[in-house]
Each structure stands twice: as structure tokens, then as C-alpha cells.
Amino acid sequence: MNDVEFGDDVVVFSFTNLYGCRIGDGTRVGPFVEIQRGASIGKRCKVQSHTFICDGVEIGDGVFVGHGVMFVNDKFPKATNEQDELAGDGDWELLPVRVCNGATIGSGAIVMGGVTIGSGALIGAGAVVTKDVAAGETVAGIPARARA
């Protein structure tokens, strides 16, 4: 964790895997979470256990991320490239994810690459988010759709 940028008063529980990421002031990260190089988490966020936050994910301030949330940053992952070699950094396209301030992501949700979740949006537990979610909107289901 020596290449992680921590804000003030950050709490990280045991059994986490953090490298090359940024975590803002007052944020809490639960156990069994992985946050990869290139990801950033804002101030006063809560990231619950068993969550995976990959490269290219930008989480704003005051965001709640439930248990077991999975972020995805590549729509077409492959083990090997066209030369039948193990795929490397140049063999895929990073699709960033942006979660704006005050959003809530329910437990077990999957957020696909290239998506923006607007400020104050609510993602239902178990939802699969494949499209942008407007500020203040509530979505749920597979694929996630607007709910009243």
C-alpha cells in the first residue's frame, strides 16, 4: 500500500488489496476490497466488503458502494491477443466509469465500463448498469432501468 495516496482520516479494514489508487479524506473501505491502480475515490465515501474497483473508475464525494459491487472496464476481455500471446496492456481498451457525488450503489450491482452514474442517483441491489444513469434517477434490474 506504499503507492496509495490516502487523504486525512481514511480507514481501511483488514484484508484489502490497494495499489496505485487515491482515496479521499474521511473515506471508509471495508474488508476484502480490491482497488486497482488508476482508480480514485472521493471524500467521505463508504465502500463495503467484497467490492472490486478497477482501473479507470472515478468515484466522487459522499458515494456509498454496497457489498460485492463489481466495476468492469473492458467490454471485450480476452486472455490472448491476435498473436496467441497472453494479452497485455496494449491489447484492450480501457472504458472509464464515473460515479458522481452522492450516488448510492446497492449490494451486488455490476457497473459496466463507459458508464456515468449521476449525482444522487440510486442503483438497486443486484442491478447491471449498462447505460448512463441521470442525476437523481433510481434504476434497478437486469439491465438496469428507471424506476419510480
Side-chain angles (χ1 to χ4, degrees):
M1 287 199 281
N2 55 358
D3 64 345
V4 175
E5 184 181 321
F6 291 103
D8 292 332
D9 193 33
V10 171
V11 175
V12 177
F13 288 86
S14 298
F15 310 112
T16 59
N17 189 15
L18 311 175
Y19 51 96
C21 58
R22 290 183 299 127
I23 301 174
D25 297 345
T27 288
R28 304 295 185 256
V29 178
F32 304 106
V33 169
E34 179 165 337
I35 306 173
Q36 293 186 328
R37 182 173 316 286
S40 66
I41 300 175
K43 298 175 183 176
R44 298 172 313 283
C45 294
K46 286 188 173 183
V47 179
Q48 302 297 335
S49 69
H50 299 88
T51 290
F52 176 74
I53 302 173
C54 54
D55 182 12
V57 175
E58 177 188 338
I59 296 176
D61 297 338
V63 171
F64 177 86
V65 180
H67 300 277
V69 171
M70 190 74 54
F71 290 89
V72 179
N73 62 6
D74 183 6
K75 285 189 180 175
F76 304 103
K78 292 185 176 188
T80 59
N81 60 23
E82 291 179 12
Q83 293 76 35
D84 201 32
E85 301 165 335
L86 201 57
D89 289 343
D91 295 313
W92 66 289
E93 178 186 359
L94 174 69
L95 298 173
V97 173
R98 183 169 175 235
V99 181
C100 297
N101 296 345
T104 295
I105 304 175
S107 294
I110 299 172
V111 181
M112 300 302 292
V115 167
T116 296
I117 297 172
S119 295
L122 173 61
I123 310 302
V128 177
V129 182
T130 60
K131 298 178 187 174
D132 290 351
V133 178
E137 186 173 33
T138 297
V139 299
I142 302 171
R145 293 188 177 108
R147 306 292 182 204

